[in-house]
Amino acid sequence: MKKQLSIQYEETTIEDLADQNLKDLIVETIAFAQNAYAPYSNFKVSAGLRLTDGTILKGTNVENASYPVSICAERTLLAHAVSNYPALKITDVVVYVDKDLPTPVPPCGLCRQTLSEVEQRQQSPIRIIMVAKNGDILSVESTVDLLPWSFNASYLA
Ligand code: THU
């Protein structure tokens, strides 16, 4: 029997956003891309999140001359949030790439797995908003739509 998994995502633009809180998070995240340490790839990525108390946190990719040591913006940010704000939940994560590309950039596989772990731990969905330099936005309401059929803690029980 053949089966299928499908995902849901939304397409919009910064201009068309009605949610002012989300707009603010996006504006802050875009500005933060200048902090990216990406001398090897020149691919500057920033990520921003909002916690349940309204706190905004941001992070960037941080590269290394030993290339595999580099860390993505999303995981820089999530490690900071999880370790410093263990009692709070994450509601939104914005990902921005400071490069003229035709579409927003989705998180890499390692970052999807990390987002998935955080969402399962906090037991409430994290909206992920991918923003392009031209203002185009793709978003999903949960990490499940970025990483369906994920490996997770339930298999370790
Ligand atoms: N990168 C991120 O920061 N996030 C992603 O989701 C994809 C890739 C970074 C890693 C590396 O510093 C650069 O982009 C090029 O791969």
Side-chain angles (χ1 to χ4, degrees), residues 14 17 21-31 50 56 94 96 129 131 137:
I14 297 176
L17 277 184
N21 281 339
L22 180 56
K23 251 188 187 168
D24 293 346
L25 178 60
I26 289 173
V27 168
E28 280 200 37
T29 303
I30 290 173
R50 191 182 291 281
I56 285 178
V94 169
Y96 174 73
I129 304 104
V131 181
I137 294 177

Side-chain angles (χ1 to χ4, degrees), residues 2-3 9 26-27 49 61 66 84 86 88 92-93 97-98 115 138 154 157:
K2 280 195 179 166
K3 296 189 176 186
Y9 66 97
I26 289 173
V27 168
L49 63 75
N61 53 335
S66 175
N84 286 280
L88 295 176
D92 302 280
V93 174
V97 174
D98 186 21
L115 286 160
L138 295 175
S154 70

